[in-house]
Amino acid sequence: MTIDASHPGPAEEDRPGSSLGRVMRGRLRRPGPAERMRILRIGGRSLRVSVREGAPGWPPLLLCNGIGASMELLQPFVDALDPRRGVIRFDMPGIGGSPAPAIPYHLHTLPSLLAGLLDQLGYEQADVLGISWGGGLAQQFALSRPDRVRRLVLVATAPGALMVPGNPRVLLRMLTPRRHRDPGYAARIAGELYGGSARKDPLVARDLLHATTRLGPTRGYFYQLIATVGWTSLPRLPKLRPPTLILAGDDDPIIPVVNARIMRWLIPRSRLHVYHGGHLELAADPERLAAAVEAFLDADLTPEGNQQ
């Protein structure tokens, strides 16, 4: 099944009183290229996929989202990218518009799903960006299928089970999808959970989670939690081949910035960019981080060019 949609952005962006609407109206949003939405069947799983075609010769950017979030969460970031850059987004099984699978899955089994997605779309290789939970997926894909990943961007993420954890109170809130289903609760905990801009304006985080995303079945969230059980990339990080940009916030309660510094030390062809903000800044302040991502994707990296 194929659904064509032009620029499927936040449905409530211009709603009077919407905090997200106030933020977005303060930016100069350029009209983006049309995005094609469809349901693809890959390896026995159905995925809702959005593709923004790019200019010839530009590798597409494959986005791997955080836990419980549908592809719409990153619409502000996609809008901030160069319109010549192709973008591929998808909802994980059981999240957003992707049906839940019959049984749970694990990160170790997912590289074939991403490779199958690229195959169906006709791409040999892509740049890959993963945020939070999606950063784990991006790492696993780059480790298992380095031939399919040109460059890797890891945002607000960590190497899995072997990491420096956040505050236990914060991590407990991550064990349920309540913040995705209760706007009032999301606003109350946003500052404590996400840090950064959410401390000053928790309604932005609430609107990002509710005005711009689609709910899937509750078990989809728990399947994502199960997928990370026992998973870590830490011993294999020195084997990561693609040039890697690590983006980390200096006020991220979920993923302390020390994890990014450890990853920078272990990943051979990596550079670290620590930004002022928290866990959701890629969507809450997209222009600033999109500029860093664009510069990395377009640059010729050398070992001497690494920076902290």
Side-chain angles (χ1 to χ4, degrees):
M1 180 178 72
T2 299
I3 304 172
D4 288 324
S6 179
H7 212 64
E12 299 190 14
E13 177 185 312
D14 295 323
R15 184 188 62 189
S18 165
S19 180
L20 181 62
R22 293 196 302 272
V23 171
M24 296 305 291
R25 282 194 294 272
R27 301 174 181 148
L28 293 176
R29 290 187 63 200
R30 55 193 167 198
E35 298 179 39
R36 189 181 181 198
M37 307 284 290
R38 68 187 94 172
I39 300 291
L40 295 180
R41 188 77 174 166
I42 304 167
R45 297 188 178 99
S46 295
L47 296 185
R48 184 172 70 118
V49 177
S50 170
V51 178
R52 186 180 88 176
E53 298 294 341
W58 286 57
L61 178 61
L62 174 64
L63 301 182
C64 303
N65 217 333
I67 188 168
S70 67
M71 66 173 73
E72 285 83 358
L73 179 69
L74 293 181
Q75 188 70 49
F77 173 71
V78 173
D79 292 341
L81 293 172
D82 191 312
R84 294 172 294 178
R85 189 174 305 283
V87 179
I88 304 168
R89 290 180 286 166
F90 63 97
D91 288 339
M92 283 299 301
I95 300 298
S98 293
I103 59 174
Y105 51 84
H106 198 271
L107 280 180
H108 286 298
T109 68
L110 292 178
S112 61
L113 183 69
L114 298 190
L117 174 59
L118 293 180
D119 287 342
Q120 285 212 30
L121 297 175
Y123 293 110
E124 290 291 329
Q125 199 175 55
D127 295 325
V128 179
L129 182 151
I131 178 172
S132 192
W133 185 97
L137 174 56
Q139 291 172 63
Q140 185 63 44
F141 186 44
L143 286 165
S144 300
R145 297 299 307 269
D147 57 311
R148 308 304 297 266
V149 180
R150 189 186 75 103
R151 296 195 176 188
L152 181 65
V153 182
L154 303 175
V155 185
T157 194
L162 298 179
M163 64 172 284
V164 178
N167 185 293
R169 177 182 170 90
V170 168
L171 298 180
L172 282 174
R173 297 193 186 278
M174 298 289 293
L175 293 179
T176 77
R178 182 181 174 187
R179 66 193 182 282
H180 290 281
R181 298 178 177 275
D182 182 343
Y185 177 74
R188 289 195 302 273
I189 70 165
E192 176 192 7
L193 186 62
Y194 296 117
S197 60
R199 296 192 192 277
K200 297 179 180 179
D201 191 355
L203 298 186
V204 170
R206 179 204 66 185
D207 286 352
L208 282 169
L209 293 178
H210 291 273
T212 70
T213 60
R214 293 180 53 169
L215 284 177
T218 301
R219 73 177 186 274
Y221 186 91
F222 294 113
Y223 281 2
Q224 282 193 284
L225 283 178
I226 293 170
T228 64
V229 172
W231 178 86
T232 182
S233 63
L234 194 70
R236 299 181 64 195
L237 288 180
K239 298 180 180 179
L240 264 178
R241 285 170 43 187
T244 302
L245 172 65
I246 304 165
L247 293 172
D250 61 6
D251 180 24
D252 186 340
I254 299 173
I255 308 289
V257 70
V258 64
N259 290 284
R261 299 193 186 282
I262 293 170
M263 295 172 74
R264 162 65 187 93
W265 182 64
L266 289 173
I267 299 173
R269 302 172 66 193
S270 66
R271 56 174 59 180
L272 171 61
H273 176 81
V274 178
Y275 57 84
H276 181 59
H279 198 71
L280 281 182
E281 302 309 316
L282 192 70
D285 190 7
E287 286 85 359
R288 179 166 53 118
L289 296 188
V293 172
E294 293 275 15
F296 168 73
L297 295 181
D298 293 342
D300 291 323
L301 295 183
T302 64
E304 293 75 23
N306 292 347
Q307 60 186 25
Q308 289 195 10

